[in-house]
């Protein structure tokens, strides 16, 4: 396991935080507390979640951190888009932020896909169910617990009366 600071996603996250510090400095004082600080806080939380995902030993824990990271990234994108729409930040600064958030999002989604694949393929995954009498395990589908496929599917045929 490498250090989180050596990962490319962390470097991009640090670049986003640096950019958001510039955004915060350029936002007018009236919006600085409500938008500027919030944008910076989201970027800091993104870096924290990158570190947590890198340090997680279990693929499910890693996936949970990456899902939270993607949610925080989306919040940062919304705040940056809103700041640009209100003309609080320049178009060039906003465009650079979008490039960085897209890059981070692609990397995080790839990492999440890999973590989820390890959860479903691992022998100790949550989907493994013991088959009585055989001593082997059968893997159930990777659907979330409590979800029945087709339960709310409107395209399925109606039951016969």
């Amino acid at each position: 396991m490498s250090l989180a600071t050596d990962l490319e996603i962390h470097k991009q996250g640090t670049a986003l935080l640096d950019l958001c510090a510039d955004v915060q400095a350029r936002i007018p004082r009236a919006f600085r507390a409500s938008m500027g600080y919030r944008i910076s806080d989201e970027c800091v939380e993104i870096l924290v979640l990158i570190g947590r995902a890198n340090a997680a030993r279990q693929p499910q824990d890693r996936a949970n951190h990456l899902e939270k990271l993607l949610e925080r990234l989306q919040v940062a994108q919304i705040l940056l888009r809103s700041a640009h729409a209100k003309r609080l930040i320049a178009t060039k600064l906003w465009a650079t932020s979008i490039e960085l958030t897209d890059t981070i999002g692609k990397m995080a989604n790839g990492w999440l896909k890999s973590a989820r694949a390890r959860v479903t393929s691992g022998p100790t995954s949550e989907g493994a169910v013991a088959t009585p009498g055989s001593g082997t395990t059968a893997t159930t589908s990777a659907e979330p617990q409590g979800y029945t496929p087709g339960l709310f599917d409107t395209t399925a045929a109606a039951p016969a009366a």
Side-chain angles (χ1 to χ4, degrees), residues 7-63:
L7 300 174
E8 185 61 30
I9 191 171
H10 190 276
K11 292 174 185 174
Q12 296 294 319
T14 303
L16 181 63
L17 179 61
D18 290 343
L19 182 109
C20 288
D22 292 340
V23 166
Q24 183 179 348
R26 293 182 180 157
I27 289 180
R29 188 177 304 216
F31 294 98
R32 196 170 294 154
S34 62
M35 284 209 149
Y37 294 136
R38 179 77 192 268
I39 293 169
S40 294
D41 289 344
E42 293 298 330
C43 292
V44 168
E45 189 61 29
I46 288 167
L47 288 172
V48 168
L49 288 167
I50 289 169
R52 287 180 182 165
N54 188 53
R57 293 195 180 269
Q58 299 298 320
Q60 185 60 45
D61 293 339
R62 179 170 288 157

Side-chain angles (χ1 to χ4, degrees), residues 25-125:
R26 293 182 180 157
I27 289 180
R29 188 177 304 216
F31 294 98
R32 196 170 294 154
S34 62
M35 284 209 149
Y37 294 136
R38 179 77 192 268
I39 293 169
S40 294
D41 289 344
E42 293 298 330
C43 292
V44 168
E45 189 61 29
I46 288 167
L47 288 172
V48 168
L49 288 167
I50 289 169
R52 287 180 182 165
N54 188 53
R57 293 195 180 269
Q58 299 298 320
Q60 185 60 45
D61 293 339
R62 179 170 288 157
N64 289 338
H65 292 306
L66 291 169
E67 288 168 356
K68 290 176 188 175
L69 183 152
L70 289 167
E71 181 181 335
R72 295 290 186 149
L73 187 63
Q74 207 170 26
V75 171
Q77 286 176 326
I78 291 167
L79 290 168
L80 287 162
R81 187 179 303 120
S82 178
H84 178 258
K86 289 193 166 294
R87 298 180 189 258
L88 301 176
I89 59 173
T91 302
K92 184 178 180 182
L93 199 59
W94 177 70
T96 305
S97 72
I98 294 304
E99 288 175 10
L100 287 170
T101 55
D102 284 349
T103 302
I104 293 168
K106 287 176 184 177
M107 288 182 201
N109 275 314
W111 200 5
L112 178 60
K113 183 179 178 182
S114 172
R116 284 181 177 159
R118 289 179 188 224
V119 168
T120 58
S121 68
T124 59
S125 68

Side-chain angles (χ1 to χ4, degrees), residues 113-144:
K113 183 179 178 182
S114 172
R116 284 181 177 159
R118 289 179 188 224
V119 168
T120 58
S121 68
T124 59
S125 68
E126 293 178 7
V129 179
T131 306
S134 67
T136 61
T137 60
T139 304
T140 61
S141 68
E143 295 295 330

